[in-house]
Amino acid sequence: MDNDDFSESSEEKQPTSNGLREILEALRTIFVAAIALVISIGQWVSKKFTTWQIKSEEQSKILDRQRADEQEKIARALREEQKIIREEKRLADEKAKIAEEQRAEERAVREEERKTKERRFSPKKLLYPSLSAVSTFALIVGVTRLGPIAEWTRSQNECIQQNSLIDGEIGKTNLVNKVMRCNGGHD
């Protein structure tokens, strides 16, 4: 066989394309490209999500550190404030104790002064008892001097009663006459 025949026969054996094969190959290429695009987008989204997650974790750690620092500052401030309050309370207690001691010393000094004044001789100490003695003596003397007058009054009353029983009349003029009779006067 000739080369010509061979070349012609191979050319003849090539099937003629009706376009379906080309369309399927083009569709396959488009489908593969679409799948590659979906995979690429998925990888891109995955990278972005991973990056976002890493940033989020870093921000979370930063926020946790900041929160811990703030809580430590607050705790430190509270401890300082409590320390200041305890110191102020201690100072107030000391001041109160000192004031109480001063008041006790002042009371002791005043008590000592009072006792010293009581020990000293003063005219007031002598004046009050002497005046009370004089007034008591005057009362006793006055009562003893009134004794005879009381006795005379009693005798006058008895005399008037006896005369009233005898006369039987009671009136203002009769009473005057009876008193005169009891005094030794005229009838």
Side-chain angles (χ1 to χ4, degrees):
M1 297 207 210
D2 283 339
N3 274 339
D4 290 332
D5 287 339
F6 183 66
S7 62
E8 284 182 21
S9 68
S10 64
E11 286 179 13
E12 287 181 12
K13 286 191 177 183
Q14 287 183 356
T16 56
S17 149
N18 59 5
L20 183 61
R21 188 175 208 175
E22 291 175 8
I23 292 175
L24 286 177
E25 285 182 19
L27 283 176
R28 186 181 80 165
T29 305
I30 292 173
F31 182 69
V32 169
I35 290 175
L37 179 66
V38 168
I39 291 172
S40 296
I41 291 173
Q43 286 177 347
W44 180 78
V45 167
S46 174
K47 280 184 180 181
K48 287 289 185 184
F49 182 75
T50 305
T51 305
W52 175 75
Q53 190 175 12
I54 290 170
K55 286 181 181 179
S56 172
E57 288 175 0
E58 288 174 0
Q59 288 177 350
S60 174
K61 288 178 183 178
I62 291 170
L63 289 174
D64 287 343
R65 278 192 301 246
Q66 288 175 348
R67 191 175 307 123
D69 290 344
E70 288 176 5
Q71 288 177 348
E72 180 62 31
K73 286 179 184 178
I74 290 170
R76 201 174 311 128
L78 284 174
R79 284 192 300 268
E80 288 295 321
E81 188 174 320
Q82 289 173 348
K83 184 178 177 182
I84 290 170
I85 289 171
R86 282 193 303 270
E87 185 66 23
E88 288 175 353
K89 185 175 185 258
R90 185 186 64 77
L91 288 174
D93 289 344
E94 285 179 7
K95 286 180 181 179
K97 191 174 183 180
I98 290 170
E100 182 63 32
E101 289 174 357
Q102 287 175 344
R103 284 192 296 269
E105 288 174 4
E106 289 172 1
R107 277 189 293 244
V109 167
R110 283 193 302 257
E111 185 66 24
E112 189 64 34
E113 288 174 356
R114 185 185 64 79
K115 287 180 180 179
T116 304
K117 285 180 182 179
E118 285 178 356
R119 286 184 206 134
R120 280 189 283 168
F121 178 74
S122 68
K124 288 182 182 178
K125 287 184 178 180
L126 184 62
L127 185 64
Y128 180 74
S130 61
L131 287 178
S132 64
V134 167
S135 65
T136 305
F137 180 73
L139 182 65
I140 291 171
V141 168
V143 168
T144 56
R145 287 198 176 188
L146 289 176
I149 295 173
E151 198 59 42
W152 178 79
T153 305
R154 191 172 320 141
S155 69
Q156 288 292 319
N157 286 336
E158 288 175 2
C159 179
I160 291 171
Q161 281 180 353
Q162 286 174 358
N163 283 333
S164 293
L165 290 175
I166 295 172
D167 290 345
E169 295 178 23
I170 297 178
K172 193 170 185 179
T173 56
N174 288 337
L175 185 61
V176 172
N177 287 333
K178 290 177 188 176
V179 169
M180 286 172 37
R181 252 188 261 157
C182 288
N183 282 334
H186 59 282
D187 275 342

